[in-house]
Amino acid sequence: MNSAGPLVDCTSGQLRGGGALTVVVPVGSVEQHGPHLPLDTDTRIATAVATEVAAGRYLLAPAISYGASGEHQSFAGTISIGTEALTALLVEYGRSVCTWAHRLVFVNGHGGNRQALRAAAGLLRAEGRDVAWWSGSVAGADAHAGHTETSLLLHLSPEVVRMGAVARGNTEPLTDLMTRLRDGGVAAVSESGVLGDPTTATAAEGEWIFVAMVEDCTAGVLRWTPAADGMLT
């Protein structure tokens, strides 16, 4: 069989005895992204990266769209399942997939999911399953719904960006905000939910960021040298 393409388009028979299959799974969130970006911003980005990485090479699974987003719970629309539940989901997902696939890689679009990914992938690898994960990051990126994510959405889905609502958020360094973030969530440091400056975002910048993310993830998957916790470097 062709071992590349959307997983859900395959039949069970096509996957049986299909050789060394690699499954790529986007992992995102449903959470506030300020007044201008949609709730599924992280899932959109993770899915777009995973789609490019998988194209012509691997099986692309449907996204895991709910994540650990407790820091955004003060904002309407946020649906968080928490780190414990996400960890359990990822573990059972990996155990199931690895009964018929050779490798599994989670492509993550939300920083709050990292703890669950480390715990789940570390356990799965300890159990002998070849599972890894990659998480999107760009040097100099702002933290949330700012220049970086807004630029990415202007490139990937410009029709969903509400440009009339774009406004500068809290631009203090994340390290300076961390104590207040831990105590009170994003609402404690930003009334709008924005950490960064989306007013400077452009589609051209978003394209550059997206290409860099795809290249980084693709290289990590091709090297396949996961750490003990499964993170691809």
Side-chain angles (χ1 to χ4, degrees):
M1 66 154 290
N2 182 2
S3 59
L7 172 65
V8 293
D9 286 350
C10 299
T11 67
S12 178
Q14 287 177 303
L15 298 176
R16 192 181 305 120
L21 299 175
T22 296
V23 178
V24 180
V25 190
V27 183
S29 69
V30 176
E31 65 182 39
Q32 72 84 20
H33 273 78
H36 63 291
L37 295 181
L39 298 170
D40 70 343
T41 290
D42 294 337
T43 305
R44 284 177 187 260
I45 294 170
T47 298
V49 172
T51 299
E52 290 296 318
V53 171
R57 297 186 184 95
Y58 314 119
L59 290 167
L60 177 67
I64 297 172
S65 298
Y66 296 99
S69 303
E71 68 274 20
H72 299 284
Q73 198 60 72
S74 297
F75 295 88
T78 297
I79 303 174
S80 174
I81 63 173
T83 296
E84 185 177 353
L86 180 59
T87 301
L89 187 157
L90 296 173
V91 168
E92 294 305 321
Y93 191 110
R95 287 172 175 165
S96 180
V97 169
C98 289
T99 62
W100 52 267
H102 177 59
R103 282 178 173 171
L104 169 65
V105 57
F106 297 109
V107 175
N108 180 47
H110 172 52
N113 295 339
R114 286 174 176 248
Q115 184 178 344
L117 285 159
R118 288 191 184 96
L123 175 58
L124 289 164
R125 293 193 63 78
E127 293 175 346
R129 297 173 173 88
D130 203 0
V131 175
W133 62 279
W134 175 91
S135 195
S137 62
V138 179
D142 48 14
H144 187 74
H147 173 88
T148 304
E149 289 186 318
T150 305
S151 292
L152 280 165
L153 264 290
L154 284 172
H155 169 59
L156 296 171
S157 302
E159 72 282 359
V160 303
V161 181
R162 294 161 176 78
M163 292 304 296
V166 168
R168 191 171 186 263
N170 190 331
T171 57
E172 293 179 61
L174 193 57
T175 51
D176 295 347
L177 300 175
M178 197 54 69
T179 299
R180 283 179 285 163
L181 273 170
R182 289 197 189 100
D183 292 341
V186 174
V189 297
S190 175
E191 184 178 350
S192 69
V194 176
L195 300 176
D197 187 1
T199 65
T200 60
T202 66
E205 180 76 1
E207 181 178 15
W208 179 87
I209 295 168
F210 181 67
V211 169
M213 291 172 70
V214 170
E215 289 178 349
D216 184 63
C217 186
T218 299
V221 174
L222 289 173
R223 283 193 300 268
W224 202 262
T225 55
D229 65 0
M231 184 177 181
L232 291 174
T233 57

